[in-house]
Amino acid sequence: KAGVTQTPRYLIKTRGQQVTLSCSPISGHRSVSWYQQTPGQGLQFLFEYFSETQRNKGNFPGRFSGRQFSNSRSEMNVSTLELGDSALYLCASSLTSGAPWKTQYFGPGTRLLVL
Amino acid sequence: DAKTTQPTSMDCAEGRAANLPCNHSTISGNEYVYWYRQIHSQGPQYIIHGLKNNETNEMASLIITEDRKSSTLILPHATLRDTAVYYCIVRVSGGSQGNLIFGKGTKLSVKP
């Protein structure tokens, strides 16, 4: 079956703009997590959605938000972009939330460049 | 949350076994050890996970010490395509459901 897909794959924005990234999980997966990856900070957890509800949130400012639709697809939004928001944004899907044996399957990521 | 410590980088000759260590001395009894890898410019790829018994799958073997304070990921016959950053992660339990906390990982370079 198809893996996790993310759109767009590459994006260039300017400071102050906003951006919306999309993630389609593996069919049947109901949990979607978002991560930000930068060379200096590595992979950092943004938030997780399960059944259209945000289950957990990482330590990011309120400019970062997300949502999940009834078909489990998820979007994340970053408002008032800053140069430091330039990163690879990864989405991961899994069957459920909270099961210790579960694994997460990652998409290819969206590379965002803020100028 | 239990944290992990991994060497920054390692080299391995092609065809030889790659042994990647990870320390997780503060791991709790209900926390699992996961291994992922990330090839340059791609999303992380799940490799293997375990609780306390050694595990093996088509990609790798995971050896967890009896006290569970450390583990080793073994790639039995490393190839050039195994060059990647390898992350050892301890599953966050309790209220923080559904997320994995990634550290810096080990950059494995497989050389011909």
Side-chain angles (χ1 to χ4, degrees):
Chain A
K1 52 186 174 182
V4 179
T5 58
Q6 292 186 245
T7 57
R9 292 294 310 278
Y10 303 92
L11 205 51
I12 299 175
K13 291 285 188 178
T14 57
R15 278 182 299 173
Q17 286 187 307
Q18 73 157 16
V19 67
T20 299
L21 311 181
S22 180
C23 172
S24 293
I26 291 172
S27 178
H29 285 195
R30 295 170 61 192
S31 172
V32 173
S33 296
W34 287 91
Y35 296 83
Q36 180 196 65
Q37 185 175 30
T38 58
Q41 299 296 322
L43 268 164
Q44 294 185 286
F45 171 73
L46 279 157
F47 28 64
E48 184 211 11
Y49 286 87
F50 180 78
S51 294
E52 302 178 64
T53 302
Q54 188 180 88
R55 285 299 184 95
N56 197 30
K57 192 176 190 303
N59 190 26
F60 277 82
R63 300 184 297 108
F64 292 81
S65 62
R67 59 178 175 168
Q68 186 180 35
F69 303 95
S70 58
N71 62 358
S72 295
R73 189 177 70 85
S74 177
E75 289 181 346
M76 68 161 283
N77 183 276
V78 187
S79 62
T80 319
L81 283 167
E82 301 175 0
L83 295 179
D85 296 333
S86 295
L88 179 67
Y89 289 88
L90 292 160
C91 159
S93 79
S94 58
L95 279 168
T96 62
S97 173
W101 44 263
K102 75 172 176 65
T103 60
Q104 295 192 12
Y105 296 85
F106 283 82
T110 294
R111 188 165 294 280
L112 171 66
L113 176 62
V114 182
L115 301 175
Chain B
D1 300 341
K3 296 190 185 329
T4 63
T5 304
Q6 299 178 251
T8 304
S9 63
M10 291 182 65
D11 290 342
C12 178
E14 187 178 19
R16 304 297 292 268
N19 297 282
L20 292 90
C22 179
N23 287 322
H24 31 78
S25 58
T26 60
I27 191 171
S28 298
N30 62 345
E31 291 179 316
Y32 288 67
V33 180
Y34 286 78
W35 282 84
Y36 284 79
R37 72 180 182 184
Q38 189 171 24
I39 296 169
H40 183 62
S41 296
Q42 298 181 23
Q45 176 190 22
Y46 165 80
I47 301 173
I48 198 167
H49 75 284
L51 182 62
K52 56 182 179 181
N53 297 321
N54 297 338
E55 302 288 344
T56 296
N57 63 19
E58 65 278 4
M59 289 183 67
S61 294
L62 174 61
I63 309 297
I64 303 174
T65 57
E66 193 169 340
D67 62 7
R68 303 212 318 127
K69 293 185 177 182
S70 65
S71 61
T72 300
L73 177 74
I74 301 173
L75 307 179
H77 306 287
T79 70
L80 298 179
R81 286 177 294 181
D82 292 323
T83 293
V85 178
Y86 287 77
Y87 295 97
C88 167
I89 303 146
V90 174
R91 172 70 166 82
V92 178
S93 64
S96 300
Q97 295 182 0
N99 68 77
L100 301 172
I101 298 176
F102 290 76
K104 302 290 187 185
T106 296
K107 181 174 172 55
L108 174 69
S109 298
V110 181
K111 300 180 184 301

